[in-house]
Amino acid sequence: MLLVLVAGNGCNRNPGAEKKKIAVIISTLNNPWFVVLAETAASEAQALGYEAKIFDSQNNTALETDHFENALASGYNAILFNPTDADGSVVNVLKAKAAEVPVFCMDREVNAADATTSQILSDSYSGCVALGKYFVQTLNKKGQYVELLGLVGDNNTWSRSKGFHSVVDNYPDLKMVAQQNADFDRNKAMEVLESILQAHPDINAVFCGNDAMAMGAYQAIIAAGIADKVKVFGFDGADDVVASINSGKIIATGMQFPKVMAKTAATFADEYFKGKRDFPKKMPVAVEMVSGKNVAYYVSPTKD
């Protein structure tokens, strides 16, 4: 489903010439973080003088396939892409490649090194190594915890989990009593944790693969009356979680920079149109940990 239409209003660098068109195909707009990613990519493309249109795949690879087919049939010249599935999305990228339409992945990757023109990705593993160290410190190296995973078909899910466990698993008195996916979804995370709490009411912490799930987990522990006993960790740097860290409700998150990734993807498309071809296959974007110690910096209205 097409949810947002953005007409290009940036400067036209070739007056009289038809503007090139850029499709922004996003895994889901049912998450404020991805809305920022999509709208920044589209607005940056506009600013560079192109038309841009946002397509919402609603975390459905079949719908994503429809968007690719529509974009290619409609003459889009480049695709800024946030995949629904690292493996399932490869076929869509290959269709674009066959049509000589460059694809620039943002935040999420596909498992095909030569299919995309470039992939601009958060360094999720390193970000979760830092979160894992803070998790160990905060829990004094002992306790019971739950891990909520994101989409099992997304590489970010496993990069974050592996980074976290590369640290936490070295402490035998930290015991994971449950690990379950909640698809990066707030409501599902709340429901999953409510169910887990019935069997494990004495947990000390919840590690969540994104901030939407962290907010859902926090709702669950409030409903259970144990919000003062359970420490919640997220990943993304979403505004509501940063505000919750500032008020002491959430312990920490990994700050990603969707605007950096979106602007880089749009800039790469501009450079491609101008003849550049030697793009990095993968471009990591650093993640910064946000906790009560430094949250004041991130709640600043000047923080991008």
Side-chain angles (χ1 to χ4, degrees):
M1 178 185 294
L2 170 65
L3 291 186
V4 182
L5 173 64
V6 183
N9 59 3
C11 61
N12 188 347
R13 298 180 178 184
N14 298 294
E18 185 176 349
K19 289 182 178 179
K20 290 187 180 298
K21 300 193 298 185
I22 296 177
V24 180
I25 301 178
I26 296 292
S27 61
T28 177
L29 293 178
N30 189 31
N31 181 324
W33 194 92
F34 289 111
V35 173
V36 172
L37 185 75
E39 292 186 347
T40 302
S43 62
E44 186 68 11
Q46 287 181 289
L48 291 166
Y50 306 109
E51 292 185 8
K53 185 181 290 184
I54 300 173
F55 298 84
D56 179 7
S57 300
Q58 300 175 28
N59 279 331
N60 182 327
T61 304
L63 183 56
E64 178 187 282
T65 297
D66 291 342
H67 291 330
F68 265 77
E69 291 176 350
N70 290 336
L72 297 177
S74 301
Y76 279 85
N77 305 99
I79 297 173
L80 310 185
F81 183 40
N82 175 249
T84 58
D85 188 289
D87 292 316
S89 297
V90 171
V91 63
N92 297 325
V93 179
L94 291 175
K95 286 180 183 176
K97 184 177 182 180
E100 299 184 346
V101 173
V103 175
F104 302 90
C105 283
M106 304 180 292
D107 176 53
R108 292 179 177 177
E109 65 181 313
V110 294
N111 290 329
D114 295 328
T116 62
T117 304
S118 186
Q119 304 198 78
I120 303 110
L121 311 167
S122 284
D123 191 347
S124 292
Y125 184 90
S126 297
C128 282
V129 168
L131 277 171
K133 292 177 180 176
Y134 195 62
F135 184 93
V136 170
Q137 176 186 343
T138 303
L139 271 69
N140 293 321
K141 304 177 183 179
K142 62 182 178 181
Q144 300 186 85
Y145 72 93
V146 172
E147 181 182 11
L148 296 184
L149 300 166
L151 293 163
V152 295
D154 178 17
N155 287 0
N156 283 336
T157 293
W158 301 112
S159 294
R160 294 170 191 177
S161 182
K162 289 176 181 176
F164 173 74
H165 283 285
S166 73
V167 176
V168 176
D169 289 358
N170 293 313
Y171 296 88
D173 289 334
L174 282 170
K175 300 184 183 302
M176 184 172 69
V177 296
Q179 181 191 56
Q180 190 167 335
N181 67 295
D183 298 344
F184 292 137
D185 184 87
R186 178 172 180 157
N187 291 333
K188 186 168 183 178
M190 182 177 66
E191 294 169 1
V192 166
L193 189 59
E194 284 176 342
S195 178
I196 291 172
L197 286 173
Q198 293 178 16
H200 305 284
D202 298 325
I203 62 170
N204 306 105
V206 185
F207 179 74
C208 305
N210 82 339
D211 279 349
M213 294 192 296
M215 293 303 292
Y218 186 71
Q219 286 180 271
I221 64 173
I222 287 178
I226 54 176
D228 59 334
K229 300 177 181 176
V230 180
K231 303 180 188 306
V232 178
F233 296 73
F235 191 94
D236 275 341
D239 288 346
D240 54 356
V241 165
V242 172
S244 294
I245 293 171
N246 196 39
S247 59
K249 298 175 181 175
I250 303 289
I251 299 300
T253 187
M255 173 66 73
Q256 298 189 86
F257 296 93
K259 292 183 179 180
V260 171
M261 288 185 277
K263 290 179 179 179
T264 301
T267 298
F268 278 7
D270 178 54
E271 292 173 346
Y272 183 93
F273 294 149
K274 293 173 179 175
K276 181 176 178 179
R277 293 294 183 270
D278 58 335
F279 295 95
K281 283 300 178 184
K282 287 188 180 181
M283 179 176 173
V285 176
V287 173
E288 299 175 4
M289 191 179 75
V290 182
S291 69
K293 296 180 179 178
N294 64 356
V295 68
Y297 172 70
Y298 293 94
V299 298
S300 167
T302 60
K303 181 63 181 173
D304 191 3

